[in-house]
Amino acid sequence: VVNTTEGTGGAGFYADYFANEEVAVAAAGADVEMNAPGSAVVNTIKSGGNTVKMLNNLTYQQESFVGDNQTADAEKTARGYTGQPNIKFWEGHVDIGGPIKKDKLWFFGAYNHFKIDKQISGVPRNIATDLGLFDNETTKETWKASEKDTIVGYIQIGRAHV
């Protein structure tokens, strides 16, 4: 999961990467297609085709699955550092796409939900943890209006529950 917000502008969200057909990442020096200098993440969302396709994914990680390569040292401990491991992470995704009318009209739809609960360094768990709950819905319809013209309708909604 990558947070694609732009500073304080808020133009972005935690993207559903299972809904992507292709992802391109530029660390620096974006070309003239980008409206701002610096890094860029460009996502191409899946489209329906003439064959019905579906993807289901379930990911789960509990705290005991997470290793810790931090060495405890007196300086970190004196400042209250206790690490910040994932306590629990899970993600569920489903998508489906296919033809409405072969060679003419196609659909794609996806739903993704994930939850991540992390320890906050220096804060006892019974006081607080960093809990994130996120939902993404995606829909994309493609119409081949003529030999030269293709019309695409696309909506992607990302919500963080706070």
Side-chain angles (χ1 to χ4, degrees):
V1 176
V2 175
N3 182 348
T4 59
T5 57
E6 296 177 1
T8 59
F13 57 95
Y14 289 91
D16 173 6
Y17 274 88
F18 291 103
N20 290 325
E21 184 72 31
E22 181 178 315
V23 177
V25 178
D31 63 19
V32 297
E33 293 178 348
M34 301 308 296
N35 63 353
S39 62
V41 178
V42 179
N43 303 328
T44 303
I45 301 298
K46 292 178 184 176
S47 296
N50 283 329
T51 304
V52 175
K53 294 182 181 178
M54 183 175 198
L55 172 68
N56 294 300
N57 182 75
L58 182 61
T59 304
Y60 175 78
Q61 174 191 346
Q62 62 190 29
E63 185 175 9
S64 64
F65 295 177
V66 180
D68 183 1
N69 64 359
Q70 296 282 331
T71 56
D73 66 35
E75 183 182 338
K76 282 191 232 175
T77 305
R79 292 185 309 195
Y81 178 77
T82 58
Q84 56 185 116
N86 287 354
I87 298 166
K88 187 175 285 184
F89 171 84
W90 75 270
E91 178 176 27
H93 172 89
V94 62
D95 70 41
I96 188 167
I100 296 171
K101 184 172 182 188
K102 190 175 179 186
D103 296 325
K104 194 78 169 165
L105 185 61
W106 305 272
F107 75 95
F108 173 78
Y111 173 75
N112 186 278
H113 174 82
F114 77 90
K115 173 183 180 176
I116 185 166
D117 194 6
K118 293 181 67 75
Q119 181 174 338
I120 302 168
S121 182
V123 178
R125 291 182 188 184
N126 62 341
I127 303 286
T129 62
D130 183 9
L131 176 63
L133 296 169
F134 303 90
D135 286 299
N136 289 325
E137 293 100 14
T138 304
T139 182
K140 182 177 179 183
E141 289 69 40
T142 308
W143 174 37
K144 185 72 173 167
S146 70
E147 243 349 273
K148 296 180 183 178
D149 301 309
T150 302
I151 298 171
V152 177
Y154 160 76
I155 298 171
Q156 189 169 44
I157 300 170
R159 293 180 309 218
H161 304 277
V162 290

Short mmCIF file of all heavy atoms in Angstrom, two decimals, residues 68-117:
data_model
loop_
_atom_site.label_atom_id
_atom_site.label_comp_id
_atom_site.label_asym_id
_atom_site.label_seq_id
_atom_site.Cartn_x
_atom_site.Cartn_y
_atom_site.Cartn_z
N ASP A 68 11.92 -8.74 13.99
CA ASP A 68 12.42 -7.47 14.50
C ASP A 68 13.92 -7.45 14.33
O ASP A 68 14.64 -8.20 14.98
CB ASP A 68 12.05 -7.31 15.98
CG ASP A 68 12.47 -5.96 16.55
OD1 ASP A 68 13.04 -5.13 15.81
OD2 ASP A 68 12.23 -5.74 17.75
N ASN A 69 14.40 -6.60 13.45
CA ASN A 69 15.85 -6.51 13.24
C ASN A 69 16.44 -5.27 13.91
O ASN A 69 17.56 -4.87 13.62
CB ASN A 69 16.20 -6.54 11.75
CG ASN A 69 15.66 -5.35 11.01
OD1 ASN A 69 14.99 -4.49 11.57
ND2 ASN A 69 15.93 -5.31 9.71
N GLN A 70 15.67 -4.64 14.79
CA GLN A 70 16.16 -3.49 15.55
C GLN A 70 16.97 -3.99 16.74
O GLN A 70 16.52 -4.87 17.47
CB GLN A 70 14.99 -2.66 16.08
CG GLN A 70 14.14 -2.03 15.01
CD GLN A 70 14.81 -0.80 14.43
OE1 GLN A 70 15.57 -0.11 15.09
NE2 GLN A 70 14.53 -0.53 13.17
N THR A 71 18.12 -3.46 16.91
CA THR A 71 18.90 -3.81 18.10
C THR A 71 18.56 -2.83 19.20
O THR A 71 18.54 -1.62 18.99
CB THR A 71 20.42 -3.76 17.81
OG1 THR A 71 20.75 -2.46 17.32
CG2 THR A 71 20.81 -4.81 16.78
N ALA A 72 18.25 -3.38 20.35
CA ALA A 72 17.92 -2.52 21.50
C ALA A 72 19.21 -1.90 22.00
O ALA A 72 20.18 -2.61 22.29
CB ALA A 72 17.24 -3.33 22.59
N ASP A 73 19.25 -0.60 22.08
CA ASP A 73 20.41 0.03 22.68
C ASP A 73 19.92 1.01 23.75
O ASP A 73 18.78 1.44 23.76
CB ASP A 73 21.33 0.70 21.65
CG ASP A 73 20.71 1.88 20.93
OD1 ASP A 73 19.92 2.62 21.53
OD2 ASP A 73 21.04 2.07 19.75
N ALA A 74 20.81 1.32 24.65
CA ALA A 74 20.45 2.13 25.82
C ALA A 74 19.94 3.51 25.41
O ALA A 74 19.02 4.04 26.04
CB ALA A 74 21.65 2.25 26.75
N GLU A 75 20.53 4.08 24.35
CA GLU A 75 20.12 5.43 23.94
C GLU A 75 18.67 5.45 23.46
O GLU A 75 17.88 6.30 23.86
CB GLU A 75 21.04 5.95 22.84
CG GLU A 75 20.73 7.37 22.42
CD GLU A 75 21.63 7.85 21.29
OE1 GLU A 75 22.73 7.28 21.10
OE2 GLU A 75 21.22 8.79 20.60
N LYS A 76 18.29 4.49 22.60
CA LYS A 76 16.91 4.42 22.12
C LYS A 76 15.94 4.14 23.28
O LYS A 76 14.89 4.76 23.38
CB LYS A 76 16.76 3.31 21.08
CG LYS A 76 17.27 3.66 19.71
CD LYS A 76 16.81 2.60 18.75
CE LYS A 76 17.95 2.07 17.94
NZ LYS A 76 17.60 0.98 17.07
N THR A 77 16.30 3.19 24.11
CA THR A 77 15.44 2.83 25.23
C THR A 77 15.25 4.02 26.18
O THR A 77 14.14 4.26 26.66
CB THR A 77 16.03 1.63 26.00
OG1 THR A 77 16.22 0.56 25.06
CG2 THR A 77 15.10 1.16 27.10
N ALA A 78 16.31 4.77 26.43
CA ALA A 78 16.22 5.94 27.31
C ALA A 78 15.26 6.99 26.75
O ALA A 78 14.63 7.72 27.50
CB ALA A 78 17.60 6.54 27.53
N ARG A 79 15.15 7.06 25.43
CA ARG A 79 14.23 8.02 24.80
C ARG A 79 12.82 7.45 24.68
O ARG A 79 11.94 8.09 24.12
CB ARG A 79 14.75 8.42 23.43
CG ARG A 79 16.03 9.25 23.52
CD ARG A 79 16.45 9.75 22.18
NE ARG A 79 16.49 8.62 21.24
CZ ARG A 79 17.08 8.64 20.06
NH1 ARG A 79 17.69 9.72 19.66
NH2 ARG A 79 17.08 7.59 19.28
N GLY A 80 12.60 6.22 25.15
CA GLY A 80 11.25 5.64 25.14
C GLY A 80 10.93 4.79 23.94
O GLY A 80 9.79 4.38 23.75
N TYR A 81 11.92 4.48 23.10
CA TYR A 81 11.67 3.67 21.91
C TYR A 81 11.31 2.24 22.30
O TYR A 81 12.04 1.59 23.04
CB TYR A 81 12.89 3.67 20.99
CG TYR A 81 12.71 2.81 19.77
CD1 TYR A 81 11.95 3.25 18.70
CD2 TYR A 81 13.29 1.54 19.68
CE1 TYR A 81 11.77 2.47 17.58
CE2 TYR A 81 13.13 0.75 18.56
CZ TYR A 81 12.35 1.22 17.52
OH TYR A 81 12.17 0.45 16.41
N THR A 82 10.18 1.77 21.82
CA THR A 82 9.76 0.39 22.07
C THR A 82 9.48 -0.35 20.76
O THR A 82 8.97 -1.45 20.78
CB THR A 82 8.49 0.37 22.94
OG1 THR A 82 7.46 1.10 22.26
CG2 THR A 82 8.75 0.95 24.31
N GLY A 83 9.81 0.26 19.64
CA GLY A 83 9.48 -0.35 18.35
C GLY A 83 8.05 -0.01 17.97
O GLY A 83 7.31 0.57 18.75
N GLN A 84 7.69 -0.35 16.75
CA GLN A 84 6.31 -0.13 16.32
C GLN A 84 5.88 -1.22 15.34
O GLN A 84 5.56 -0.96 14.18
CB GLN A 84 6.12 1.27 15.73
CG GLN A 84 7.04 1.61 14.59
CD GLN A 84 6.86 3.04 14.17
OE1 GLN A 84 7.77 3.82 14.29
NE2 GLN A 84 5.71 3.39 13.65
N PRO A 85 5.88 -2.46 15.82
CA PRO A 85 5.51 -3.56 14.93
C PRO A 85 4.03 -3.56 14.58
O PRO A 85 3.21 -2.97 15.29
CB PRO A 85 5.86 -4.80 15.77
CG PRO A 85 5.67 -4.35 17.17
CD PRO A 85 6.13 -2.91 17.17
N ASN A 86 3.72 -4.24 13.47
CA ASN A 86 2.32 -4.49 13.16
C ASN A 86 1.77 -5.44 14.22
O ASN A 86 2.37 -6.49 14.49
CB ASN A 86 2.17 -5.17 11.80
CG ASN A 86 2.44 -4.23 10.65
OD1 ASN A 86 2.63 -3.04 10.84
ND2 ASN A 86 2.47 -4.77 9.45
N ILE A 87 0.65 -5.09 14.80
CA ILE A 87 -0.04 -5.99 15.73
C ILE A 87 -0.91 -6.93 14.92
O ILE A 87 -0.94 -8.13 15.15
CB ILE A 87 -0.87 -5.18 16.74
CG1 ILE A 87 0.07 -4.29 17.57
CG2 ILE A 87 -1.69 -6.10 17.63
CD1 ILE A 87 -0.64 -3.21 18.35
N LYS A 88 -1.60 -6.37 13.92
CA LYS A 88 -2.42 -7.19 13.04
C LYS A 88 -2.62 -6.45 11.73
O LYS A 88 -2.77 -5.24 11.70
CB LYS A 88 -3.77 -7.47 13.68
CG LYS A 88 -4.61 -8.47 12.88
CD LYS A 88 -5.89 -8.82 13.61
CE LYS A 88 -5.53 -9.75 14.74
NZ LYS A 88 -6.67 -10.25 15.48
N PHE A 89 -2.58 -7.20 10.62
CA PHE A 89 -2.88 -6.66 9.30
C PHE A 89 -3.70 -7.69 8.56
O PHE A 89 -3.39 -8.87 8.58
CB PHE A 89 -1.58 -6.39 8.51
CG PHE A 89 -1.83 -6.04 7.07
CD1 PHE A 89 -2.14 -4.75 6.71
CD2 PHE A 89 -1.77 -7.01 6.08
CE1 PHE A 89 -2.39 -4.42 5.38
CE2 PHE A 89 -2.02 -6.70 4.76
CZ PHE A 89 -2.32 -5.39 4.41
N TRP A 90 -4.76 -7.23 7.91
CA TRP A 90 -5.47 -8.11 6.99
C TRP A 90 -6.07 -7.29 5.87
O TRP A 90 -6.38 -6.12 6.03
CB TRP A 90 -6.49 -9.01 7.68
CG TRP A 90 -7.75 -8.36 8.13
CD1 TRP A 90 -7.99 -7.78 9.33
CD2 TRP A 90 -8.96 -8.21 7.37
NE1 TRP A 90 -9.27 -7.30 9.38
CE2 TRP A 90 -9.88 -7.56 8.19
CE3 TRP A 90 -9.34 -8.59 6.10
CZ2 TRP A 90 -11.17 -7.26 7.77
CZ3 TRP A 90 -10.62 -8.29 5.68
CH2 TRP A 90 -11.51 -7.64 6.51
N GLU A 91 -6.18 -7.92 4.71
CA GLU A 91 -6.70 -7.25 3.52
C GLU A 91 -7.52 -8.24 2.72
O GLU A 91 -7.11 -9.38 2.51
CB GLU A 91 -5.55 -6.72 2.67
CG GLU A 91 -5.97 -6.05 1.39
CD GLU A 91 -4.80 -5.44 0.63
OE1 GLU A 91 -3.67 -5.93 0.78
OE2 GLU A 91 -5.03 -4.48 -0.10
N GLY A 92 -8.69 -7.80 2.28
CA GLY A 92 -9.53 -8.60 1.40
C GLY A 92 -9.81 -7.83 0.12
O GLY A 92 -10.07 -6.63 0.17
N HIS A 93 -9.72 -8.50 -1.00
CA HIS A 93 -9.94 -7.86 -2.31
C HIS A 93 -10.73 -8.80 -3.20
O HIS A 93 -10.48 -10.01 -3.23
CB HIS A 93 -8.60 -7.54 -2.99
CG HIS A 93 -8.77 -7.06 -4.39
ND1 HIS A 93 -8.93 -5.72 -4.70
CD2 HIS A 93 -8.84 -7.72 -5.57
CE1 HIS A 93 -9.08 -5.60 -6.01
NE2 HIS A 93 -9.03 -6.80 -6.56
N VAL A 94 -11.66 -8.23 -3.95
CA VAL A 94 -12.36 -8.97 -5.00
C VAL A 94 -12.54 -8.03 -6.19
O VAL A 94 -12.80 -6.84 -6.02
CB VAL A 94 -13.72 -9.53 -4.51
CG1 VAL A 94 -14.66 -8.42 -4.09
CG2 VAL A 94 -14.35 -10.43 -5.56
N ASP A 95 -12.32 -8.56 -7.39
CA ASP A 95 -12.65 -7.79 -8.59
C ASP A 95 -13.16 -8.71 -9.68
O ASP A 95 -12.92 -9.93 -9.65
CB ASP A 95 -11.48 -6.92 -9.07
CG ASP A 95 -10.30 -7.67 -9.67
OD1 ASP A 95 -10.49 -8.65 -10.42
OD2 ASP A 95 -9.16 -7.25 -9.41
N ILE A 96 -13.90 -8.14 -10.60
CA ILE A 96 -14.44 -8.89 -11.74
C ILE A 96 -14.56 -7.93 -12.93
O ILE A 96 -14.86 -6.76 -12.76
CB ILE A 96 -15.80 -9.55 -11.41
CG1 ILE A 96 -16.24 -10.48 -12.55
CG2 ILE A 96 -16.84 -8.51 -11.06
CD1 ILE A 96 -17.39 -11.40 -12.17
N GLY A 97 -14.29 -8.46 -14.11
CA GLY A 97 -14.42 -7.67 -15.33
C GLY A 97 -14.77 -8.57 -16.48
O GLY A 97 -14.49 -9.78 -16.46
N GLY A 98 -15.39 -8.00 -17.51
CA GLY A 98 -15.75 -8.80 -18.68
C GLY A 98 -16.60 -8.01 -19.64
O GLY A 98 -16.77 -6.80 -19.52
N PRO A 99 -17.17 -8.74 -20.59
CA PRO A 99 -17.96 -8.06 -21.63
C PRO A 99 -19.41 -7.83 -21.19
O PRO A 99 -20.00 -8.62 -20.48
CB PRO A 99 -17.92 -9.07 -22.78
CG PRO A 99 -17.86 -10.40 -22.10
CD PRO A 99 -17.02 -10.18 -20.86
N ILE A 100 -19.93 -6.68 -21.59
CA ILE A 100 -21.37 -6.46 -21.55
C ILE A 100 -21.91 -6.79 -22.95
O ILE A 100 -22.89 -7.50 -23.10
CB ILE A 100 -21.70 -5.00 -21.16
CG1 ILE A 100 -21.22 -4.75 -19.73
CG2 ILE A 100 -23.20 -4.72 -21.30
CD1 ILE A 100 -21.28 -3.31 -19.28
N LYS A 101 -21.18 -6.31 -23.97
CA LYS A 101 -21.43 -6.68 -25.36
C LYS A 101 -20.07 -6.90 -26.01
O LYS A 101 -19.25 -5.99 -26.09
CB LYS A 101 -22.20 -5.58 -26.09
CG LYS A 101 -22.56 -5.96 -27.50
CD LYS A 101 -23.48 -4.98 -28.15
CE LYS A 101 -23.81 -5.51 -29.54
NZ LYS A 101 -24.54 -4.55 -30.32
N LYS A 102 -19.81 -8.12 -26.43
CA LYS A 102 -18.51 -8.51 -26.97
C LYS A 102 -18.04 -7.54 -28.05
O LYS A 102 -18.80 -7.12 -28.91
CB LYS A 102 -18.58 -9.93 -27.54
CG LYS A 102 -17.23 -10.50 -27.89
CD LYS A 102 -17.32 -11.94 -28.32
CE LYS A 102 -15.94 -12.42 -28.69
NZ LYS A 102 -15.94 -13.74 -29.25
N ASP A 103 -16.74 -7.17 -27.94
CA ASP A 103 -16.06 -6.26 -28.87
C ASP A 103 -16.63 -4.84 -28.89
O ASP A 103 -16.28 -4.04 -29.75
CB ASP A 103 -16.08 -6.81 -30.31
CG ASP A 103 -15.32 -8.12 -30.44
OD1 ASP A 103 -14.29 -8.28 -29.74
OD2 ASP A 103 -15.76 -8.98 -31.22
N LYS A 104 -17.52 -4.51 -27.94
CA LYS A 104 -18.16 -3.19 -27.97
C LYS A 104 -18.22 -2.50 -26.61
O LYS A 104 -17.94 -1.31 -26.50
CB LYS A 104 -19.59 -3.37 -28.53
CG LYS A 104 -20.25 -2.11 -28.94
CD LYS A 104 -19.74 -1.65 -30.26
CE LYS A 104 -20.60 -0.52 -30.79
NZ LYS A 104 -19.96 0.18 -31.87
N LEU A 105 -18.58 -3.25 -25.54
CA LEU A 105 -18.82 -2.64 -24.25
C LEU A 105 -18.35 -3.59 -23.14
O LEU A 105 -18.75 -4.76 -23.13
CB LEU A 105 -20.33 -2.35 -24.10
CG LEU A 105 -20.81 -1.61 -22.87
CD1 LEU A 105 -20.18 -0.22 -22.77
CD2 LEU A 105 -22.34 -1.52 -22.89
N TRP A 106 -17.50 -3.06 -22.23
CA TRP A 106 -16.90 -3.90 -21.18
C TRP A 106 -17.04 -3.22 -19.82
O TRP A 106 -17.17 -2.01 -19.73
CB TRP A 106 -15.42 -4.12 -21.45
CG TRP A 106 -15.14 -4.69 -22.79
CD1 TRP A 106 -15.09 -6.01 -23.13
CD2 TRP A 106 -14.85 -3.97 -23.99
NE1 TRP A 106 -14.80 -6.16 -24.46
CE2 TRP A 106 -14.65 -4.92 -25.02
CE3 TRP A 106 -14.77 -2.62 -24.31
CZ2 TRP A 106 -14.36 -4.56 -26.32
CZ3 TRP A 106 -14.47 -2.26 -25.62
CH2 TRP A 106 -14.26 -3.22 -26.60
N PHE A 107 -16.96 -4.03 -18.74
CA PHE A 107 -17.04 -3.50 -17.38
C PHE A 107 -15.90 -4.07 -16.53
O PHE A 107 -15.34 -5.13 -16.82
CB PHE A 107 -18.38 -3.88 -16.73
CG PHE A 107 -18.45 -5.33 -16.31
CD1 PHE A 107 -18.13 -5.70 -15.00
CD2 PHE A 107 -18.81 -6.31 -17.21
CE1 PHE A 107 -18.17 -7.03 -14.61
CE2 PHE A 107 -18.84 -7.65 -16.82
CZ PHE A 107 -18.53 -8.01 -15.52
N PHE A 108 -15.57 -3.33 -15.48
CA PHE A 108 -14.64 -3.80 -14.45
C PHE A 108 -15.09 -3.19 -13.13
O PHE A 108 -15.45 -2.01 -13.07
CB PHE A 108 -13.20 -3.35 -14.75
CG PHE A 108 -12.26 -3.67 -13.61
CD1 PHE A 108 -11.79 -4.95 -13.42
CD2 PHE A 108 -11.89 -2.69 -12.70
CE1 PHE A 108 -10.95 -5.26 -12.35
CE2 PHE A 108 -11.05 -2.98 -11.63
CZ PHE A 108 -10.58 -4.27 -11.46
N GLY A 109 -15.07 -3.98 -12.07
CA GLY A 109 -15.41 -3.49 -10.75
C GLY A 109 -14.55 -4.15 -9.70
O GLY A 109 -14.17 -5.32 -9.85
N ALA A 110 -14.21 -3.42 -8.63
CA ALA A 110 -13.35 -3.96 -7.57
C ALA A 110 -13.74 -3.37 -6.23
O ALA A 110 -14.20 -2.23 -6.15
CB ALA A 110 -11.88 -3.66 -7.85
N TYR A 111 -13.53 -4.18 -5.18
CA TYR A 111 -13.70 -3.72 -3.80
C TYR A 111 -12.52 -4.22 -2.99
O TYR A 111 -12.10 -5.38 -3.13
CB TYR A 111 -15.01 -4.25 -3.20
CG TYR A 111 -15.12 -3.93 -1.72
CD1 TYR A 111 -15.43 -2.65 -1.30
CD2 TYR A 111 -14.89 -4.90 -0.77
CE1 TYR A 111 -15.50 -2.33 0.05
CE2 TYR A 111 -14.97 -4.61 0.59
CZ TYR A 111 -15.28 -3.33 0.98
OH TYR A 111 -15.35 -3.02 2.31
N ASN A 112 -11.96 -3.34 -2.15
CA ASN A 112 -10.81 -3.69 -1.33
C ASN A 112 -11.02 -3.12 0.07
O ASN A 112 -11.42 -1.97 0.21
CB ASN A 112 -9.53 -3.13 -1.95
CG ASN A 112 -8.29 -3.58 -1.22
OD1 ASN A 112 -7.92 -3.02 -0.20
ND2 ASN A 112 -7.64 -4.59 -1.75
N HIS A 113 -10.76 -3.93 1.08
CA HIS A 113 -10.83 -3.48 2.48
C HIS A 113 -9.57 -3.94 3.18
O HIS A 113 -9.16 -5.10 3.02
CB HIS A 113 -12.05 -4.07 3.19
CG HIS A 113 -12.07 -3.75 4.65
ND1 HIS A 113 -12.55 -2.55 5.13
CD2 HIS A 113 -11.64 -4.44 5.73
CE1 HIS A 113 -12.43 -2.54 6.46
NE2 HIS A 113 -11.88 -3.67 6.84
N PHE A 114 -8.91 -3.03 3.91
CA PHE A 114 -7.80 -3.49 4.73
C PHE A 114 -7.76 -2.79 6.06
O PHE A 114 -8.26 -1.69 6.23
CB PHE A 114 -6.45 -3.45 4.00
CG PHE A 114 -5.79 -2.11 3.85
CD1 PHE A 114 -4.93 -1.63 4.81
CD2 PHE A 114 -6.01 -1.34 2.72
CE1 PHE A 114 -4.29 -0.41 4.66
CE2 PHE A 114 -5.38 -0.13 2.56
CZ PHE A 114 -4.52 0.34 3.53
N LYS A 115 -7.18 -3.51 7.01
CA LYS A 115 -7.06 -3.03 8.39
C LYS A 115 -5.62 -3.25 8.82
O LYS A 115 -5.05 -4.33 8.59
CB LYS A 115 -7.99 -3.83 9.31
CG LYS A 115 -7.81 -3.53 10.78
CD LYS A 115 -8.71 -4.42 11.62
CE LYS A 115 -8.53 -4.12 13.10
NZ LYS A 115 -9.46 -4.91 13.93
N ILE A 116 -5.03 -2.21 9.41
CA ILE A 116 -3.69 -2.34 9.97
C ILE A 116 -3.70 -1.70 11.35
O ILE A 116 -4.23 -0.61 11.54
CB ILE A 116 -2.61 -1.71 9.06
CG1 ILE A 116 -1.23 -1.98 9.62
CG2 ILE A 116 -2.87 -0.24 8.82
CD1 ILE A 116 -0.09 -1.71 8.66
N ASP A 117 -3.17 -2.43 12.30
CA ASP A 117 -3.07 -1.96 13.67
C ASP A 117 -1.60 -2.06 14.07
O ASP A 117 -1.03 -3.15 14.05
CB ASP A 117 -3.95 -2.81 14.60
CG ASP A 117 -4.16 -2.17 15.96
OD1 ASP A 117 -3.73 -1.01 16.17
OD2 ASP A 117 -4.76 -2.83 16.82
#
